[in-house]
Amino acid sequence: MDKKRVAIIGVTGAVGQEFVQSLNNHPWFEVTQIAASSRSAGKKYLDAIKDASGIVAWDVGGEIPEYIKEMTVRSIDELDVSQLDLVFSAVESEAAKAIETKMAADLPVISTSSAYRYEEDVPILIPGINDEQTELLEVQKKNRNWKGWVAPLPNCTTTGLAITLKPLLEKYGAKKVMMTSMQAISGGGKSGVSAMGITDNIIPYIPKEEGKVRLETRKILGKLRDGKIEDADIRISCTCTRVPVIDGHTESVFVETTEEINPAKAKDTYNEYNKDISVAGLPSAPENYYAFHEDPTRPQPRMERSVGDGMTTTIGRVEKEELFDNGLKYMLFSHNKKMGSAKGAVLLAEMLYKKGKI
């Protein structure tokens, strides 16, 4: 089949580089245009990611893919939308909304930014979790008189929580959730966390993070009715912290369910979801969407971050919670730079392509 022509906006940044890697030799999508700030525009990609001293600032694992090295970085205004089928937006600045609005007038946009997450006609999508909300994209196009749409991923901290709550909510109901995150330093971006600040330390507050998790989790787990999302009726309390781990977010979760639950039932539920997950077989999907451990020392970031190439969500330390009449507590691990970012966005594109939205 002919590959869909895609552009990456914000291609020189940390998330943009993850897109470069995630789309290398992709069977369905081909990167044909790339864009970044005016500082990088007009340069070959390899030159654009060099600093003033000539050091190549490649921040993701592995080698820089050959296909991107000699591509010329364009400014946003220089992108030829007539020669594109899809845009991946990795814009990390306040300019994201204006850029994504401009692109969506003509093309589908899949975004890792928060610019459109809280708009009423915009679903926050996690492929395999709330696929049915993709129908809201048609409402969005009509409302805004666009040829395309904007489909954002959630905050990377929300991703693991929503993924692990979905099966429990569907089968047992979920009334209250308490979560404490232990988030990797890479989640703060290139300049988000200083070495002096995080070494031998835990930072107990991440600005705006907790509000994002509460809003996004309820929206993702809600139901699409009459062209609008009705948020899930779950009370959520969370504490978001930064810890000296390079990649991967770990979260401690307490859930009060409507129906009686125990670890054995939870394990069976996650195993059943693994068998029926909607994204099975897509190019970026892991063999197992969920990994369930009975070993009480799991999950651990160094052990879990390579599972499913960072696309598997790991669950462990699953126990009855005595604070609630029906309660469960568990630990989860979710890779913030893979499933929670660019590769998750590529998986979303695959799901939307399969549904005929791209």
Side-chain angles (χ1 to χ4, degrees):
M1 68 179 188
D2 292 335
K3 291 186 179 183
K4 294 294 182 180
R5 303 161 298 176
V6 306
I8 305 170
I9 299 178
V11 70
T12 57
V15 178
Q17 291 182 13
E18 289 286 345
F19 273 115
V20 168
Q21 189 178 63
S22 298
L23 290 162
N24 187 27
N25 294 320
H26 195 281
W28 298 357
F29 306 126
E30 181 181 2
V31 178
T32 58
Q33 298 180 50
I34 55 176
S37 66
S38 56
R39 184 179 64 253
S40 300
K43 297 179 181 178
K44 300 293 186 184
Y45 185 74
L46 199 57
D47 294 326
I49 60 172
K50 287 180 181 177
D51 65 19
S53 61
I55 296 172
V56 177
W58 178 249
D59 298 314
V60 299
E63 298 295 321
I64 303 171
E66 289 296 327
Y67 82 90
I68 201 79
K69 290 180 178 178
E70 295 299 312
M71 286 186 71
T72 300
V73 180
R74 307 185 186 198
S75 68
I76 306 299
D77 293 336
E78 291 173 335
L79 288 173
D80 184 355
V81 296
S82 70
Q83 298 300 309
L84 290 169
D85 302 299
L86 172 66
V87 170
F88 288 108
S89 172
V91 180
E92 299 170 356
S93 69
E94 293 180 1
K97 190 156 192 178
I99 291 168
E100 291 171 12
T101 301
K102 176 183 174 68
M103 292 293 107
D106 295 293
L107 293 165
V109 177
I110 293 177
S111 172
T112 58
S113 85
S114 62
Y116 268 99
R117 283 182 198 149
Y118 312 114
E119 301 281 336
E120 191 176 70
D121 58 358
V122 178
I124 304 172
L125 296 170
I126 302 176
I129 297 300
N130 59 336
D131 300 8
E132 71 283 353
Q133 291 185 15
T134 59
E135 294 310 310
L136 190 58
L137 297 175
E138 299 304 320
V139 175
Q140 183 191 136
K141 287 172 65 176
K142 185 176 180 181
N143 286 351
R144 299 168 185 267
N145 196 29
W146 286 346
K147 295 177 184 175
W149 36 255
V150 177
L153 264 64
N155 177 281
C156 52
T157 313
T158 304
T159 301
L161 182 63
I163 285 173
T164 58
L165 285 177
K166 173 73 172 187
L168 304 181
L169 174 64
E170 290 290 303
K171 191 155 187 180
Y172 297 99
K175 299 192 293 185
K176 296 176 185 175
V177 175
M178 292 188 295
M179 182 273 281
T180 299
S181 70
M182 291 148 275
Q183 297 176 216
I185 57 177
S186 59
K190 285 186 179 182
S191 57
V193 187
S194 71
M196 284 294 291
I198 197 63
T199 302
D200 189 33
N201 203 16
I202 293 173
I203 299 173
Y205 175 70
I206 303 172
K208 300 181 180 180
E209 198 84 350
E210 292 161 15
K212 291 177 181 178
V213 172
R214 288 193 295 269
L215 286 170
E216 294 172 15
T217 303
R218 285 194 285 258
K219 186 173 184 179
I220 291 163
L221 298 179
K223 298 294 183 184
L224 182 61
R225 293 190 176 96
D226 300 322
K228 293 183 179 179
I229 295 172
E230 294 181 7
D231 287 355
D233 184 17
I234 307 174
R235 295 172 67 184
I236 300 171
S237 174
C238 55
T239 302
C240 294
T241 75
R242 190 79 69 191
V243 297
V245 169
I246 296 173
D247 290 328
H249 294 348
T250 304
E251 301 174 21
S252 172
V253 184
F254 296 75
V255 185
E256 181 181 9
T257 57
T258 305
E259 304 294 329
E260 194 276 329
I261 191 169
N262 59 46
K265 289 181 177 180
K267 180 180 180 180
D268 289 344
T269 300
Y270 288 120
N271 285 339
E272 286 302 312
Y273 262 71
N274 261 340
K275 294 175 186 175
D276 299 324
I277 202 75
S278 64
V279 296
L282 294 180
S284 299
E287 182 178 351
N288 291 311
Y289 199 84
Y290 297 97
F292 188 100
H293 284 281
E294 296 184 56
D295 178 346
T297 68
R298 306 284 289 273
Q300 296 179 33
R302 284 195 300 179
M303 297 175 74
E304 320 307 343
R305 64 171 66 113
S306 62
V307 177
D309 194 29
M311 300 297 281
T312 295
T313 301
T314 304
I315 301 153
R317 285 294 314 274
V318 185
E319 302 172 26
K320 279 283 286 183
E321 178 47 61
E322 301 302 328
L323 282 176
F324 307 128
D325 291 334
N326 299 307
L328 198 72
K329 71 174 183 179
Y330 60 89
M331 302 283 287
L332 72 86
F333 174 86
S334 177
H335 200 310
N336 59 300
K337 288 171 64 179
K338 297 291 186 178
M339 187 61 180
S341 187
K343 195 164 184 181
V346 173
L347 180 61
L348 174 56
E350 293 164 4
M351 183 268 280
L352 291 169
Y353 176 73
K354 187 178 177 182
K355 281 182 170 288
K357 303 296 183 185
I358 297 171

